[in-house]
Amino acid sequence: MTVNIMTAKDVAKKVINKEELFILDVRNEDAFDEWKIEGDNFKHFNIPYFELLDGVEEIIGKIPSNKDVLVACAKEGSSEMIADMLSEEGLTVSYLQGGMKAWSEHLEPIKVGDLTDGGEIYQFVRIGKGCLSYMVISDGEAAIIDATRMTDIYLEFAESKAVKITNVFDTHLHADHISGGREIAEKTNATYWLPPKDATEVTFDYAALEGGNVVTIGNTAIDIYALYSPGHTSGSTSFVIDEKFLLSGDILFIDSIGRPDLAGMADDWVGDLRESLYTRYKELSEELVVLPAHFMIISELNDDGTVAVKLGALFAENHGLNIKDENEFRKLVTENLPPQPNAYQEIRETNMGKIRPEEEKQREMEIGPNRCAVR
Amino acid sequence: MEIAKLLDAKGLACPMPIVKTKKAMNDLEPGEILEIHATDKGAKSDLTAWAKSGGHELLKDSEENGVLMFWIKKG
């Protein structure tokens, strides 16, 4: 039987379309337990490739013949070997091109909505890691918010839309992924905005992003209002775009809220986090569509693959916005927190410009889920 | 430490370091030690898990100038 190749994009389509897929994950158990390819109708079976070197007979019976089978490993080589072995036994299977590395890096640009006077806003869903970034397009210009380090994707997308990138923002200094914001700004001569309170140790020049700043994209006045909303970091800033969309960064997610501890200041910032969520956000229109910088679980994806819910609905349903007692809130966000994102200190230092790891090292630092939230 | 055999798996990508380690191990007697040099970063976690599941003992590992070194005693 033939061995097929499935790309990260093919798998992303299956996630969004809620298709069935049987994933034979041949990484070692620790890696699998830590992070895997999630989909509503995906089934998993984990056995390390090195336990199958003498043959795959023992697992043949566990692999369904009536659905698509994907063999996945860290970088591709082992999954290709196992897929070949299964094929020799008469099964039709695919392996994941580029492995989990490619899965972690795949970005799916999905349109979120139209802006007044003809602009558009796109969400770039990094489906494997749960990171969300944005491009706002209006009248030949584009702004990018919370870009990942896969900068080519944004540059090519802007080119395909025939727009010039003029402004690049990071809502805060990220701890879970390496920002591509500075690199994009350098390549396009765009202005790179960072909240100064998160940028006290950075080694490069930036434009100070502060509450009340208004940046206009295009001539048709698509305004990006900066809203200072500390708590996840002391500089965390949200944006209201075109009076329609609230880019909430790592402060508010769909089914969770930001964690305040990734810069080591949980106790200091818990008050800020509460103030941002319970006072500043409360003053905003409930009709704003919340567009966060992360999702945690695949069920947060809408049917079209976007991650977007109205603020009013979140005030009604998000547990993190409904804790009346301040002490209980303090406990939730400072105690029993999930493990920190992989290599988060090194990632912060990279985003400050203090260290410049090679690309391979950057990939390794980012492996795993984002873990920026508490539920 | 007396090394029965040295396996050079530098420059090889997964799964080859483990495939070669397994083959080399077949030629050793229980109690003998295999020294492995590899450059694939995944080798560390995979060799550790492989040794454990195969009943071998990972005696020591270290890294020098980007080369990962392992000493595994055959079980």
Side-chain angles (χ1 to χ4, degrees):
Chain A
M1 295 287 147
T2 45
V3 171
N4 300 314
I5 299 173
M6 222 182 262
T7 62
K9 190 170 183 65
D10 296 334
V11 179
K13 284 234 158 62
K14 287 182 183 292
V15 174
I16 292 167
N17 296 333
K18 302 190 192 323
E19 290 174 37
E20 288 194 356
L21 185 64
F22 183 89
I23 299 174
L24 174 64
D25 194 320
V26 296
R27 294 174 298 154
N28 68 57
E29 286 164 22
D30 291 349
F32 175 78
D33 289 344
E34 162 113 353
W35 178 58
K36 60 179 182 286
I37 301 175
E38 311 263 10
D40 275 349
N41 293 307
F42 289 7
K43 294 263 184 296
H44 301 85
F45 177 54
N46 170 230
I47 181 164
Y49 67 93
F50 46 80
E51 294 188 6
L52 299 170
L53 295 179
D54 290 329
V56 291
E57 292 82 7
E58 58 168 308
I59 61 161
I60 293 272
K62 294 183 174 154
I63 296 172
S65 52
N66 59 349
K67 52 174 97 162
D68 285 348
V69 175
L70 176 70
V71 188
C73 70
K75 282 185 265 182
E76 180 180 300
S78 307
S79 62
E80 188 181 355
M81 177 183 72
I82 301 297
D84 280 339
M85 292 166 81
L86 289 168
S87 161
E88 275 166 31
E89 299 290 331
L91 275 69
T92 302
V93 298
S94 307
Y95 67 87
L96 176 61
Q97 188 175 62
M100 292 303 280
K101 195 170 74 179
W103 181 241
S104 171
E105 294 185 346
H106 179 70
L107 296 180
E108 192 73 32
I110 307 175
K111 186 171 165 178
V112 179
D114 290 313
L115 305 175
T116 319
D117 299 332
E120 298 175 303
I121 179 164
Y122 285 84
Q123 186 175 55
F124 287 69
V125 183
R126 187 176 181 180
I127 203 160
K129 197 174 164 65
C131 300
L132 304 168
S133 47
Y134 297 90
M135 191 182 291
V136 179
I137 291 174
S138 172
D139 200 28
E141 282 186 33
I144 300 177
I145 297 113
D146 288 334
T148 68
R149 70 183 157 76
M150 281 68 80
T151 54
D152 288 350
I153 309 270
Y154 306 95
L155 298 174
E156 283 162 20
F157 192 81
E159 208 182 303
S160 75
K161 294 278 171 190
V163 291
K164 181 175 166 35
I165 298 165
T166 53
N167 289 275
V168 180
F169 302 87
D170 270 321
T171 52
H172 62 287
L173 187 83
H174 299 284
D176 65 291
H177 68 271
I178 293 161
S179 170
R182 184 161 45 115
E183 190 183 309
I184 292 173
E186 279 167 8
K187 284 185 178 165
T188 58
N189 274 328
T191 307
Y192 180 41
W193 300 84
L194 259 184
K197 284 192 176 172
D198 280 7
T200 51
E201 294 178 56
V202 304
T203 60
F204 46 83
D205 290 331
Y206 64 95
L209 174 63
E210 285 169 300
N213 280 151
V214 177
V215 178
T216 303
I217 305 300
N219 296 323
T220 49
I222 300 303
D223 287 342
I224 298 181
Y225 297 89
L227 172 74
Y228 181 48
S229 51
H232 176 65
T233 62
S234 69
S236 284
T237 300
S238 308
F239 299 103
V240 178
I241 296 181
D242 196 30
E243 295 174 21
K244 268 190 191 167
F245 298 99
L246 171 63
L247 268 63
S248 59
D250 279 12
I251 291 294
L252 175 62
F253 305 114
I254 302 302
D255 194 26
S256 53
I257 58 174
R259 61 192 286 175
D261 64 313
L262 295 181
M265 307 282 273
D267 286 327
D268 292 358
W269 293 351
V270 61
D272 286 339
L273 182 63
R274 191 168 171 93
E275 163 89 14
S276 290
L277 289 173
Y278 285 70
T279 309
R280 287 174 202 221
Y281 274 15
K282 200 89 203 184
E283 291 163 0
L284 302 172
S285 162
E286 295 209 327
E287 289 301 309
L288 287 173
V289 174
V290 175
L291 299 172
H294 291 298
F295 66 90
M296 306 302 132
I297 44 175
I298 218 78
S299 62
E300 292 177 44
L301 267 59
N302 297 327
D303 285 343
D304 62 357
T306 60
V307 179
V309 173
K310 282 192 176 173
L311 183 59
L314 294 189
F315 270 117
E317 285 161 25
N318 188 318
H319 171 68
L321 290 177
N322 287 286
I323 303 167
K324 296 223 162 54
D325 184 73
E326 274 198 50
N327 281 326
E328 196 187 317
F329 181 84
R330 175 173 290 270
K331 267 192 174 168
L332 173 82
V333 297
T334 58
E335 292 176 18
N336 300 318
L337 288 169
Q340 281 106 357
N342 189 45
Y344 73 105
Q345 295 290 18
E346 283 173 294
I347 290 174
R348 294 181 72 244
E349 284 177 10
T350 307
N351 287 336
M352 291 176 197
K354 286 182 172 176
I355 53 172
R356 281 180 168 267
E358 290 168 22
E359 192 180 21
E360 195 54 38
K361 173 77 180 159
Q362 295 194 12
R363 285 190 172 128
E364 223 177 281
M365 285 157 63
E366 284 191 340
I367 220 76
N370 66 69
R371 295 192 171 136
C372 288
V374 280
R375 285 181 84 197
Chain B
M1 187 158 47
E2 195 185 321
I3 312 300
K5 192 170 185 174
L6 171 69
L7 171 68
D8 181 3
K10 292 198 293 290
L12 297 178
C14 186
M16 291 322 287
I18 295 235
V19 170
K20 295 217 167 220
T21 299
K22 186 173 186 300
K23 279 200 180 127
M25 209 58 142
N26 286 341
D27 299 335
L28 298 193
E29 297 297 326
E32 288 188 322
I33 295 168
L34 176 68
E35 179 174 329
I36 304 143
H37 295 179
T39 46
D40 188 290
K41 295 274 181 253
K44 187 171 177 178
S45 56
D46 287 1
L47 269 176
T48 306
W50 172 81
K52 203 175 159 198
S53 80
H56 309 297
E57 189 184 350
L58 176 63
L59 300 172
K60 192 180 144 194
D61 69 88
S62 68
E63 183 174 353
E64 218 171 274
N65 301 323
V67 179
L68 302 163
M69 289 176 286
F70 306 89
W71 290 268
I72 299 179
K73 186 166 142 188
K74 182 162 176 165

